[in-house]
Amino acid sequence: MEWSAPAIVVDVRPYGEGSAIVTLLTEEQGRHAGLAKGGASRAQAGLWLPGDLIEARWGARLSDQLGALSGEMVHPAAALAMDDPLALALLASCCAIAADALPEREAHPRAFRGLVSVIGHLAGGAEGVMA
């Protein structure tokens, strides 16, 4: 089983020496986890930051397995929010809620589009998003 889709990184946990277990939010796949080999390395650390919008590819032999995850950067929202502490806190809070509150592997198109909207409006500052 394989899929490819735009996704938002909502959680990252180190796994082993240099890998990471990454949780994504996609429009059709919902909250979905995968193993990013080398995801904790210096070369890939910037890709797997909560809030980043990526083009994700997930694959596994069976649909209920953890699966392997790879991706390409589309919009580095976490890096862009680093200069504004309020924007970074808002982004981190939204990602934490999505990672913990949404059930796994169920489609959440409104939640995905809402989080994409928040990420898109963060460029103008966090005050504009919260108003």
Side-chain angles (χ1 to χ4, degrees), residues 86-105:
L86 187 58
L88 189 58
L90 179 64
L91 184 61
S93 298
C94 290
C95 289
I97 290 170
D100 293 338
L102 297 174
E104 192 172 6
R105 297 185 183 199

Side-chain angles (χ1 to χ4, degrees), residues 70-84:
S70 63
E72 294 179 26
M73 181 68 70
V74 174
H75 180 71
L80 298 174
M82 292 286 181
D83 293 335
D84 184 357

Side-chain angles (χ1 to χ4, degrees), residues 43-124:
Q44 291 190 30
L47 176 65
W48 306 115
L49 293 174
D52 283 350
L53 183 60
I54 65 168
E55 181 65 33
R57 286 177 302 283
W58 180 90
R61 192 172 61 83
L62 301 172
S63 63
D64 59 345
Q65 292 179 325
L66 180 62
L69 187 62
S70 63
E72 294 179 26
M73 181 68 70
V74 174
H75 180 71
L80 298 174
M82 292 286 181
D83 293 335
D84 184 357
L86 187 58
L88 189 58
L90 179 64
L91 184 61
S93 298
C94 290
C95 289
I97 290 170
D100 293 338
L102 297 174
E104 192 172 6
R105 297 185 183 199
E106 290 183 18
H108 303 289
R110 291 181 65 197
F112 177 78
R113 288 191 298 265
L115 190 49
V116 167
S117 176
V118 167
I119 290 170
H121 286 90
L122 279 179

Side-chain angles (χ1 to χ4, degrees), residues 9-73:
V9 179
V10 293
D11 188 39
V12 180
R13 292 173 294 166
Y15 183 79
E17 297 262 336
S19 297
I21 295 179
V22 179
T23 304
L24 304 173
L25 180 63
T26 69
E27 189 168 16
E28 294 178 7
Q29 305 297 328
R31 186 174 63 91
H32 212 283
L35 178 67
K37 293 186 180 188
S41 68
R42 286 186 189 198
Q44 291 190 30
L47 176 65
W48 306 115
L49 293 174
D52 283 350
L53 183 60
I54 65 168
E55 181 65 33
R57 286 177 302 283
W58 180 90
R61 192 172 61 83
L62 301 172
S63 63
D64 59 345
Q65 292 179 325
L66 180 62
L69 187 62
S70 63
E72 294 179 26
M73 181 68 70

